[in-house]
């Protein structure tokens, strides 16, 4: 990528140079106002926002907060060093290839994150401008778009995840923990001992982008961040826990998470990703802070949650990475013919569309089985739609047409599986069947590929399915050559329609 440095400040410089950064010097309130501004800005596809005048934080240890750093396609393109005209499908393909070329981190002696080391009674989380993002939130959520670092006690491999956390005391953060998540498994290994944890706030935005992605457990997110940066992530040892963090991070909080329920404190509610206001305070494990290190004049990183039509957020943009990870995972499981993958941003991957070059009966069912058997299925892949390569999986009209005319429920094109473990935050799950351990999903496969169970028919040219009604290529060439002469006044083919025509021509008699 074009930006060879690796910290938040170099990322801000990249955004600024591209006109994708605004410094907000007007006085704003951490209590809901920052959340409302950010929500409106994200819904408009706006720039990154660096709040520099936050009420009550004019003279605290940290005075600045960054949001909206990867809230649009343009910002994702900048992060990956891709041209502005790079489309969604090309972004996913780029990530798919990059994630196959891990670059391990390297350990360094020190770095800017050690410029200030806060100990003892000086530890005070209220010194950081963590917003109350939404009116219904139970408190000030400092852990929203951070990187929570833990270590697998057996393999020694780090996990870096995005796990929400609410300030509940000067040196305490209540954390929602789901046992099926990466760090949830680590916590089981440490029981009954407290688990060492480090939380990174503010580094290059490849950190939350990768930390919020469901990589397989044998993949370390540091390696994936390195692959996107094109160089190793420089890590430095923490002060009080046996973990490493980016040497140029803005802020790092170190501590121990106690599994003893007697130490739990109420956490929540928080306006979570499905876009609904729901939930209630519930006892949660507490991260007791033992050290804070930070750069001079540090910048806190955060973002609001909640996705619905017209209101996407930064988490929705992570679906580029999630789609690429799924594609690699399917191929790693020996499933061939995958030509594209897309996890719906507005459903945050609860829906997923997979495009295939159909090669055998049961191809779509094999795709769904692999998805539902993977670790990421706790949060994703509730509804799977599989189509062929002539269907644009990012076009709702194309998907609608495929479901309308290639799906017959009575012939097995719709299959249900479950109940299974699913997201505890999905409000379609009855409350009595949802808790911190997980929710309950019955999953659905919609096989919107052309059926191979029909007998070939002469009127279909010996095919299993009727031909599409298209313009003859020779006539199309004549029309294209004379288009300006007709004086209609609009371009004959824009890039999108040219791509659709190309996909239609990919069809062969043996596949239709």
């Amino acid at each position: 990528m074009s930006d060879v440095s690796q910290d938040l400040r170099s990322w801000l410089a990249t955004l600024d140079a591209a006109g994708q950064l605004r410094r907000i010097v007007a006085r704003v309130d951490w209590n809901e106002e920052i959340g409302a501004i950010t929500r409106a800005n994200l819904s408009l596809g706006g720039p990154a926002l660096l709040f520099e005048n936050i009420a009550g934080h004019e003279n605290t240890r940290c005075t600045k907060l960054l949001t909206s750093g990867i809230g649009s396609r343009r910002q994702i393109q900048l992060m990956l060093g891709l041209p502005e005209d790079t489309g969604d499908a090309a972004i996913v393909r780029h990530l798919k290839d990059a994630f196959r070329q891990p670059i391990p981190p390297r350990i360094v002696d020190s770095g800017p994150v050690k410029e200030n080391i806060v100990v003892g009674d000086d530890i005070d989380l209220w010194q950081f401008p963590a917003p109350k993002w939404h009116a219904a939130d139970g408190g000030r959520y400092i852990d929203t778009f951070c990187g929570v670092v833990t270590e697998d006690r057996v393999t020694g491999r780090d996990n870096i995840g995005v796990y929400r956390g609410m300030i509940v005391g000067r040196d305490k953060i209540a954390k929602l923990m789901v046992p099926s998540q990466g760090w949830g498994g680590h916590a089981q290994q440490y029981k009954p001992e407290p688990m060492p944890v480090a939380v990174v706030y503010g580094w290059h935005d490849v950190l939350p982008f990768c930390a919020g992605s469901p990589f397989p457990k044998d993949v370390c997110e540091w390696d994936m961040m390195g692959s996107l940066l094109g160089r190793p992530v420089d890590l430095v040892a923490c002060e009080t826990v046996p973990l490493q963090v980016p040497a140029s991070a803005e802020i790092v909080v170190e501590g121990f998470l106690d599994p003893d329920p007697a130490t739990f404190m109420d956490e929540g509610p928080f306006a979570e990703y499905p876009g609904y206001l729901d939930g209630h305070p519930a006892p949660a494990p507490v991260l007791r802070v033992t050290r804070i290190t930070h750069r001079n004049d540090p910048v806190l990183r955060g973002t609001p949650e909640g996705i619905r039509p017209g209101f996407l957020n930064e988490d929705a943009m992570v679906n580029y990475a999630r789609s690429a990870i799924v594609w690699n995972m399917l191929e790693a499981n020996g499933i061939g013919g995958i030509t594209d993958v897309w996890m719906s941003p507005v459903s945050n991957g609860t829906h997923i569309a997979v495009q295939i070059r159909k090669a055998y009966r049961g191809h779509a069912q094999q795709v769904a089985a692999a998805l539902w058997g993977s670790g990421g299925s706790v949060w994703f892949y509730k509804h799977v739609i599989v189509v062929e390569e002539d269907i644009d999986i990012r076009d709702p009209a194309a998907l609608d047409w495929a479901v309308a005319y290639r799906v017959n429920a009575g012939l097995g094109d719709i299959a249900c599986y479950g109940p299974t473990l699913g997201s505890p935050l999905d409000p379609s799950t009855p409350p009595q069947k949802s808790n911190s351990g997980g929710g309950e999903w019955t999953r659905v496969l919609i096989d919107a590929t052309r059926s191979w169970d029909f007998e070939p028919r002469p009127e279909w040219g010996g095919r299993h399915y009727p031909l599409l009604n298209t313009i003859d290529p020779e006539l199309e060439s004549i029309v294209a050559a004379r288009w300006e002469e007709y004086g209609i006044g609009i371009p004959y083919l824009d890039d999108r329609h040219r791509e659709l025509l190309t996909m239609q021509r990919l069809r062969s008699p043996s596949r239709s």
Side-chain angles (χ1 to χ4, degrees):
M1 57 183 292
S2 57
D3 178 15
V4 296
S5 54
Q6 46 178 6
D7 62 14
L8 185 66
R9 301 182 188 201
S10 67
W11 174 230
L12 289 176
T14 298
L15 291 169
D16 199 13
Q20 286 289 319
L21 176 67
R22 299 292 183 274
R23 298 177 183 272
I24 311 300
V25 296
R27 191 170 186 269
V28 296
D29 199 327
W30 57 262
N31 190 12
E32 298 183 39
E33 186 179 12
I34 285 178
I37 294 168
T38 304
R39 169 69 66 193
N41 178 66
L42 286 167
S43 70
L44 295 168
L49 304 180
L50 182 60
F51 294 97
E52 298 184 318
N53 186 3
I54 302 170
H57 288 276
E58 297 85 353
N59 298 299
T60 54
R61 185 175 293 280
C62 178
T63 63
K64 299 175 181 176
L65 172 73
L66 175 69
T67 73
S68 309
I70 51 172
S72 69
R73 178 200 290 169
R74 180 66 190 123
Q75 292 166 343
I76 298 297
Q77 292 165 343
L78 289 168
M79 183 181 70
L80 301 175
L82 297 174
E84 190 169 357
D85 61 355
T86 307
D88 291 342
I91 291 173
V92 172
R93 283 183 176 274
H94 173 89
L95 288 165
K96 174 180 179 287
D97 294 340
F99 290 150
R100 287 178 165 179
Q101 302 174 57
I103 298 180
R106 60 188 176 195
I107 307 300
V108 297
D109 292 335
S110 189
V113 74
K114 302 294 187 179
E115 288 172 347
N116 299 272
I117 300 176
V118 186
V119 303
D121 292 340
D122 289 334
I123 294 173
D124 185 1
L125 295 168
W126 304 112
Q127 291 280 310
F128 297 86
K132 183 181 181 185
W133 294 99
H134 321 94
D137 289 354
R140 298 177 68 171
Y141 272 81
I142 189 170
D143 293 6
T144 54
F145 221 44
C146 55
V148 179
V149 184
T150 57
E151 183 184 66
D152 188 302
R153 207 169 191 181
V154 176
T155 66
R157 183 180 294 110
D158 284 351
N159 177 81
I160 304 91
V162 178
Y163 311 119
R164 81 186 196 200
M166 185 180 83
I167 301 175
V168 291
R170 175 186 63 82
D171 61 350
K172 298 183 183 71
I173 303 173
K175 299 286 294 180
L176 176 68
M177 175 176 283
V178 178
S180 58
Q181 291 177 315
W183 81 319
H186 293 179
Q188 295 297 318
Q189 297 173 351
Y190 280 90
K191 280 185 176 181
E193 303 169 27
M195 178 173 65
V197 178
V199 188
V200 181
Y201 308 90
W203 189 63
H204 199 289
D205 269 356
V206 296
L207 187 145
F209 187 73
C210 291
S213 300
F215 290 104
K217 289 187 177 181
D218 62 348
V219 173
C220 177
E221 288 82 2
W222 296 134
D223 297 0
M224 298 297 98
M225 295 175 210
S227 73
L228 299 187
L229 290 168
R231 60 181 294 181
V233 177
D234 287 341
L235 299 178
V236 66
C238 290
E239 300 291 310
T240 59
V241 294
L243 298 167
Q244 292 82 38
V245 293
S248 52
E250 294 291 318
I251 303 159
V252 171
V253 164
E254 306 174 13
F256 292 86
L257 196 80
D258 198 327
D260 183 356
T263 66
F264 288 9
M265 298 179 68
D266 277 354
E267 183 270 340
F270 182 62
E272 262 290 359
Y273 74 89
Y276 288 91
L277 293 177
D278 194 12
H280 56 277
V286 174
L287 176 64
R288 183 177 293 275
V289 180
T290 54
R291 197 74 88 241
I292 298 176
T293 65
H294 65 83
R295 297 182 69 151
N296 294 329
D297 193 22
V299 178
L300 185 66
R301 183 67 166 95
T303 199
E305 262 299 352
I307 302 172
R308 57 187 174 87
F311 289 89
L312 299 184
N313 67 3
E314 294 183 85
D315 196 11
M317 296 299 106
V318 180
N319 282 293
Y320 286 107
R322 294 169 182 152
S323 300
I325 291 167
V326 165
W327 195 340
N328 281 333
M329 181 269 290
L330 290 172
E331 291 188 345
N333 277 295
I335 302 175
I338 309 299
T339 52
D340 204 355
V341 176
W342 188 237
M343 295 177 70
S344 164
V346 76
S347 73
N348 207 34
T350 303
H351 296 321
I352 182 170
V354 180
Q355 185 192 77
I356 65 172
R357 183 172 294 112
K358 189 171 179 178
Y360 43 85
R361 288 179 176 84
H363 201 160
Q365 289 74 13
Q366 189 183 32
V367 167
L371 291 172
W372 295 339
S374 68
S377 65
V378 176
W379 299 100
F380 308 117
Y381 330 135
K382 178 183 177 185
H383 301 138
V384 178
I385 179 169
V386 181
V387 299
E388 291 176 79
E389 70 268 29
D390 64 322
I391 300 298
D392 181 355
I393 59 177
R394 293 169 185 80
D395 182 352
L399 291 174
D400 194 22
W401 182 82
V403 171
Y405 300 116
R406 296 183 180 177
V407 174
N408 189 323
L411 299 179
D413 293 333
I414 295 178
C416 296
Y417 177 69
T420 70
L421 180 66
S423 168
L425 302 174
D426 179 351
S428 72
T429 298
Q432 67 271 22
K433 295 186 177 182
S434 183
N435 53 54
S436 60
E440 183 179 289
W441 277 351
T442 294
R443 300 172 187 271
V444 178
L445 164 66
I446 301 174
D447 179 359
T449 63
R450 287 165 288 193
S451 176
W452 282 15
D453 291 328
F454 299 160
E455 290 295 328
R457 297 172 62 174
E459 61 268 38
W460 294 347
R463 301 183 182 211
H464 295 275
Y465 222 76
L467 291 166
L468 288 180
N469 179 18
T470 60
I471 302 172
D472 181 87
E474 186 175 338
L475 177 57
E476 181 196 327
S477 297
I478 294 172
V479 171
R482 298 191 61 197
W483 191 255
E484 290 189 15
E485 181 185 345
Y486 300 147
I488 295 173
I490 59 174
Y492 176 59
L493 284 179
D494 58 23
D495 290 341
R496 178 176 177 77
H497 290 98
R498 186 175 293 109
E499 181 180 359
L500 287 174
L501 275 175
T502 300
M503 285 196 297
Q504 287 181 5
R505 291 175 188 150
L506 287 174
R507 293 177 296 112
S508 69
S510 63
R511 293 199 300 272
S512 58

